[in-house]
Structure formats: structure tokens, C-alpha cells
């Protein structure tokens, strides 16, 4: 809306419009809430059990195979039930239910689905091309929810944008957990004083 407002922007693990893949994850979570028998009731706890399930589903998209193998593997090969990964999923649902409600969760997911920078403009590409801030776009190699090609697209259409990737076992959640890598990239970016780019200039790499 105000492409000249900021001097620097640093989009991390995001996109210019939400993907069918991301929308499908959110839709499945909303179905879990809708199937909670209390969802149609008029009180703060309505849909809360469904939201716990939704959060459990969401976590699978925030992490990945390797993250679960690293943190939730079993040492007891004789175990037949009550696995670490199962209790972890339940814990995450319970944890969110203490600070959130299903109504907020439900409509937040719908607002994410509606994210599209090209709406009301000529196109996503032209919207990105209007940005005048010095831009560093950061992707996470193991992110299955926002694959790096989405960040490459953003960087490729913002004039003069830089692009960088971080390695993380934590998938999308790496943007919350990889402090050292992010600090290195951001400090290096902010220490530079690039000239204002001309439209159409290809993205450069920061490593």
C-alpha cells in the first residue's frame, strides 16, 4: 500500500500469495474445528477441542520428517503405544488452548488463505515491482509449508532484492529457532548500503 514507507524490509519464509498447498492445510484444520460438536455454541470455549486437533495438524506443516526424527524418536523399541510424537502433538494442542480460542484460530487461518498481493492491482509481479525498500528475502531449505521457490519468486520481482537461505532441521519453524543464522544474515544485510535498484534488476545472493 505504501511501497516507499520503509527503508529496509526482510520477509522471512513467506510468499506473495498463499498457495493451494497452504490453503489445503488451513482448510483441513478448519474442518477439525467445524466437526467439534460445540463449535456452533455461543461461548468462549466453543470449538476448543477441535482447535487442539487443528493445532496438531498444523504442527506437521511447521516441522518435517527430520525434525520429528531428531526430537521425538523412541529409545525403547518394545514400546507399543504412548509414543513421544503422539504425546507431543497432544501437548501442543493443549498449550495453544490455554492462550487462544477457536474463533480467532479459525478466522486467522481464513485471512491467511486470502493473502494475495496482486488483489486490486495489475498482478503480483507488478505489486512486488512497486516496492522501493532495500529488501532481503530469506528462505528455509527444509520448509515444506512455504517452499523456498516462493521466496525466490518474491526476491526475483522486488527491484534489487537480495536472497538468502538458511539450513534448519526445523522446517518452517526455523524462522523462530535459528537465531544465529538469521542474525548473521540480517546484520550483514543492514551493514550494507546498496543503491536504490532499478526495476527488473535480478536478485543477488547473500551468504
Amino acid at each position: 500500500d505504501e511501497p516507499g514507507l520503509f527503508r529496509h524490509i526482510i520477509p522471512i519464509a513467506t510468499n506473495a500469495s498463499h498457495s493451494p498447498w497452504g490453503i489445503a492445510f488451513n482448510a483441513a484444520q478448519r474442518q477439525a474445528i467445524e466437526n467439534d460438536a460445540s463449535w456452533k455454541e455461543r461461548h468462549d470455549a466453543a470449538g476448543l477441542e477441535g482447535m487442539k486437533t487443528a493445532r496438531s495438524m498444523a504442527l506437521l506443516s511447521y516441522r518435517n520428517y527430520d525434525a520429528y526424527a531428531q526430537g521425538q524418536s523412541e529409545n525403547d523399541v518394545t514400546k507399543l503405544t504412548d509414543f513421544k510424537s503422539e504425546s507431543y502433538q497432544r501437548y501442543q494442542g493443549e498449550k495453544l488452548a490455554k492462550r487462544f480460542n477457536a474463533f480467532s484460530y479459525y478466522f486467522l487461518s481464513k485471512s491467511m488463505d486470502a493473502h494475495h498481493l496482486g488483489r486490486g492491482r495489475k498482478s503480483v509481479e507488478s505489486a512486488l515491482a512497486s516496492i522501493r525498500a532495500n529488501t532481503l528475502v530469506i528462505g528455509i531449505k527444509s520448509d515444506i509449508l512455504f517452499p523456498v521457490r516462493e521466496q525466490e519468486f518474491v526476491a526475483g520481482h522486488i527491484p534489487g532484492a537480495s536472497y538468502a537461505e538458511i539450513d534448519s532441521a526445523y522446517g518452517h519453524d526455523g524462522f523462530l529457532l535459528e537465531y544465529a543464522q538469521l542474525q548473521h544474515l540480517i546484520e550483514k544485510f543492514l551493514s550494507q548500503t546498496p543503491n536504490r535498484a532499478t526495476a527488473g534488476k535480478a536478485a543477488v545472493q547473500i551468504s
Side-chain angles (χ1 to χ4, degrees):
D1 289 338
E2 298 184 57
L5 180 62
F6 297 102
R7 182 179 178 188
H8 301 288
I9 60 172
I10 307 174
I12 303 173
T14 189
N15 54 23
S17 61
H18 210 29
S19 66
W21 174 247
I23 292 171
F25 268 117
N26 286 340
Q29 293 172 58
R30 289 194 296 272
Q31 288 176 31
I33 294 173
E34 290 164 356
N35 286 322
D36 183 328
S38 69
W39 173 235
K40 299 296 184 181
E41 298 174 6
R42 298 177 64 85
H43 55 82
D44 289 346
L48 207 57
E49 293 303 315
M51 189 193 73
K52 293 176 184 178
T53 302
R55 179 63 169 180
S56 177
M57 297 163 65
L59 199 66
L60 298 176
S61 69
Y62 302 156
R63 301 295 174 90
N64 57 36
Y65 181 97
D66 291 331
Y68 275 80
Q70 180 176 320
Q72 307 301 327
S73 293
E74 300 290 341
N75 296 321
D76 182 2
V77 298
T78 66
K79 183 180 286 190
L80 299 176
T81 188
D82 192 28
F83 296 104
K84 289 181 180 179
S85 55
E86 179 181 3
S87 62
Y88 182 69
Q89 297 302 101
R90 293 185 183 278
Y91 164 75
Q92 290 295 337
E94 295 290 343
K95 181 181 177 182
L96 185 70
K98 294 177 180 178
R99 60 183 177 87
F100 228 70
N101 67 56
F103 299 101
S104 297
Y105 194 97
Y106 190 94
F107 288 102
L108 177 60
S109 76
K110 290 184 74 69
S111 69
M112 292 175 65
D113 291 352
H115 169 59
H116 198 295
L117 294 185
R119 185 177 296 107
R121 302 179 175 95
K122 182 179 179 182
S123 64
V124 168
E125 291 84 351
S126 63
L128 292 171
S130 72
I131 295 173
R132 294 294 174 260
N134 297 316
T135 303
L136 170 63
V137 183
I138 301 177
I140 303 169
K141 292 180 181 180
S142 60
D143 191 344
I144 65 171
L145 184 57
F146 294 85
V148 294
R149 60 179 173 272
E150 294 191 322
Q151 291 92 63
E152 291 172 339
F153 176 88
V154 171
H157 288 89
I158 295 177
S162 300
Y163 175 72
E165 287 181 7
I166 63 173
D167 285 310
S168 176
Y170 297 106
H172 183 63
D173 272 355
F175 87 95
L176 294 169
L177 301 169
E178 301 293 353
Y179 313 113
Q181 291 191 65
L182 288 170
Q183 179 178 347
H184 167 73
L185 291 173
I186 292 170
E187 285 182 346
K188 184 173 182 180
F189 169 66
L190 294 178
S191 70
Q192 298 172 345
T193 54
N195 295 324
R196 292 295 182 183
T198 57
K201 181 178 178 182
V204 298
Q205 296 284 333
I206 287 183
S207 59

